[in-house]
Amino acid sequence: MAPNNPTKRLISTLSLGWLAFGGLGLGLRYAVQVPEVTVIIDQSYCPPAQWQTAVVQPYTDLYQKSQANQRKIAQVVVVTDIDQTTLAIIPKPDELGNPFGQAPSPETLTELQQQFSETVVLKCGQ
């Protein structure tokens, strides 16, 4: 039963509206999950200009989508011919470092891709 006073009716209507709006917002936030991706970065040596265009720029695009909650970077795995390292935190694009060393074997990259549901591989050479 609604209160007889118009001010109380207005306040209760607005309160219920904002409560419903907030509940719907929270429900959508947790019901609609953004897709997660694992980024695999082949850090073998290549010229700096090629490193920027083939690795840093695509990673920057993914990072910006992650910051905008359009796509989540679950983890970043850096691979060289020596080993593979899963980074503890998601690095900013300017924290990727410089390429060095030899390229890992194609089998290593394939195995890594199979370990995760969705991956993006960033590397200089094709």
Side-chain angles (χ1 to χ4, degrees):
M1 183 160 91
N4 291 334
N5 187 342
T7 306
K8 287 183 181 179
R9 282 192 304 207
L10 176 64
I11 290 173
S12 65
T13 301
L14 288 174
S15 298
L16 286 174
W18 278 107
L19 185 63
F21 183 71
L24 180 64
L26 285 174
L28 287 175
R29 174 160 173 78
Y30 292 106
V32 179
Q33 297 293 323
V34 295
E36 287 189 352
V37 64
T38 297
V39 180
I40 301 171
I41 299 176
D42 175 355
Q43 202 169 17
S44 59
Y45 181 77
C46 66
Q50 188 178 358
W51 173 257
Q52 288 294 320
T53 58
V55 177
V56 176
Q57 187 57 49
Y59 181 78
T60 300
D61 295 341
L62 279 171
Y63 187 81
Q64 288 173 345
K65 286 181 181 178
S66 176
Q67 295 299 308
N69 288 328
Q70 295 173 343
R71 191 166 195 185
K72 181 179 179 189
I73 298 175
Q75 58 189 343
V76 176
V77 180
V78 178
V79 183
T80 62
D81 62 330
I82 300 171
D83 67 351
Q84 63 191 32
T85 305
T86 302
L87 302 179
I89 60 169
I90 306 302
K92 294 178 183 175
D94 59 347
E95 296 173 343
L96 286 181
N98 296 316
F100 64 92
Q102 301 295 319
S105 68
E107 293 83 21
T108 302
L109 290 176
T110 303
E111 288 174 15
L112 272 174
Q113 287 178 311
Q114 292 173 351
Q115 288 179 9
F116 307 105
S117 60
E118 187 175 343
T119 61
V120 172
V121 177
L122 302 176
K123 60 182 181 177
C124 277
Q126 295 299 330

